[in-house]
Amino acid sequence: MSFAKLGLLPPLTQTLADLGYAVPTPIQQQAVPAVLAGRDVLAAAQTGTGKTAAFVLPLLQMLAATPATGPAPRAVVLVPTRELAEQVLASCQRYGAGLPLRSYALYGGVSHGPQLTALRDGVDLLVATPGRLIDLFGKGELRLREVRHIVLDEADRMLDLGFADDLATVFQALPRERQVLLFSATFADAVRALAQARLRKPLSIEATPRNTAARTIRQWVVPVDKKRKPELFLFMWRDRGWQQVLVFVKTKLGADELAERLRGKGIAAEAIHGDRPQASRQAALAAFKAGTVAVLVATDVAARGLDIDGLPQVVNFDLPLQAEDYVHRIGRTGRAGAAGEAISFVCADEAPQLAAIEALLKKKLSRDEEPGFEPRHQVPATLGAAPPRRPPPLAKAGAGRGRTPGNWVGFDERPARGAGRGRPGGAKGGRGGR
Ligand code: AMP
């Protein structure tokens, strides 16, 4: 299977060859021809499956085939976070290098000025968080009447963040004739309702990266007393010879404190969280990708959608409060065919969160104590393997292949979702950068 067989033309296939993309991923194989044919698409896909290219490539080709009649965007990709907006924009620019198209990202937390200039100069493909998009639309600075294609990327997360009303506002502003593409890691009721209301006879696709056999993550739990977690991290960092680790913590303060402590031990560490200005978040991420920062300590909101090539380890320094976030967190490793490790430091207090994660995964995570760090406060036994609260209709049957030590999980195991969450303050979004 080649990209040309999917209907993509030389400016794109050449760029893909230059990027070293030899074959389309399963979701690209299914989605690209359907999108090019103008169909609505409903795709169950997580990051790491190649989903961004699955919609960006056909969008670019369709936009290039029809000349713009004015400055207004003709395609909009809505994403939940600023980081994902930047990342999708980077993909648009990378894949569209051979085409005369303009892409731009709008998100909050930054001044309007450059965004207004960009919109007036003309944008073909606009990537945006819903908040800033609505803001500029409401002020009459953004025209949505020319939009022919709209993508809801990580739709589940957008709904979790409370963007349902904003999405409804956007859809009202769109012309009736439009193509809608909805990508979501999970299909909670709210996502299904959104799909039912907005998509017309969609092609349903499930991206099961089963064929990419190496998309496996070895994951295990290290029971440890809460106050010894920093010490344990330092020990494992040295003992295992880790070089680049993404660490998840629960709070912004916790992120700053851990990064500070690691720096004190001579490890180049940076924290990213919602209180850090956008520019320094971007700088920290760029430094981490470039390898000048070895440990990136992140909270969940800041880390959503990060795409870091070949990231070998993810450490859950604290377990997430929402079990679903565990799946998103560990999805930062083992991407695009590489293997990865996800290690969770779990203290006695976190047993309920561990139980919720195991129920979601429908498997018990193996516990491997680190000699010298055996907890004084035992982590209570978790039952694990409890049934999820709702049956996941799109879930694949069968658990991951158990191996020792740790468990390996193929990402074709789709978790069920619980109820949505409230919208955290400041999650709205947007500035752009070309
Ligand atoms: P995504 O699921 O869109 O976040 O993509 C995950 C990673 O896979 C990104 O780093 C892409 O650059 C990479 N990727 C996407 N499609 C392909 C492909 N066909 N071959 C190789 N790498 C790819």
Side-chain angles (χ1 to χ4, degrees), residues 112-142:
H112 288 81
Q115 301 186 342
L116 298 180
T117 308
L119 291 174
R120 283 171 199 152
D121 285 353
V123 173
D124 297 292
L125 193 161
L126 185 67
V127 185
T129 52
R132 182 59 62 99
L133 183 104
I134 300 267
D135 180 14
L136 295 184
F137 173 71
K139 291 191 166 98
E141 299 287 357
L142 172 64

Side-chain angles (χ1 to χ4, degrees), residues 42 44 185-192 206 362 388-397 412-417:
L42 173 63
T186 53
F187 279 84
D189 289 349
V191 178
R192 288 187 177 282
E206 248 190 284
K362 290 189 274 175
R389 279 165 288 176
R390 264 184 234 133
L394 287 170
K396 291 279 156 198
D412 43 4
E413 292 165 59
R414 205 168 307 290
R417 292 295 297 243

Side-chain angles (χ1 to χ4, degrees), residues 3 16 19-25 27-28 46-55 57 84 87 91 94-95 153-154 305-309 332 335-337:
F3 283 103
L16 293 169
L19 288 170
Y21 290 13
V23 285
T25 65
I27 189 164
Q28 292 161 5
Q46 296 172 341
T47 49
T49 55
K51 72 178 165 77
T52 315
F55 60 80
L57 292 169
L84 189 57
Q87 205 166 285
S91 296
R94 202 164 49 236
Y95 302 141
D153 191 14
E154 303 201 349
L306 295 184
D307 177 20
I308 300 153
D309 282 342
R332 306 303 108 194
R335 308 190 69 187

Side-chain angles (χ1 to χ4, degrees), residues 64-124:
T66 49
T69 51
R74 295 176 290 143
V76 169
V77 180
L78 288 177
V79 295
T81 64
R82 306 160 187 190
E83 280 74 16
L84 189 57
E86 278 293 346
Q87 205 166 285
V88 172
L89 175 68
S91 296
C92 295
Q93 290 170 336
R94 202 164 49 236
Y95 302 141
L99 295 169
L101 293 170
R102 284 177 291 189
S103 310
Y104 192 74
L106 278 186
Y107 46 81
V110 290
S111 68
H112 288 81
Q115 301 186 342
L116 298 180
T117 308
L119 291 174
R120 283 171 199 152
D121 285 353
V123 173
D124 297 292

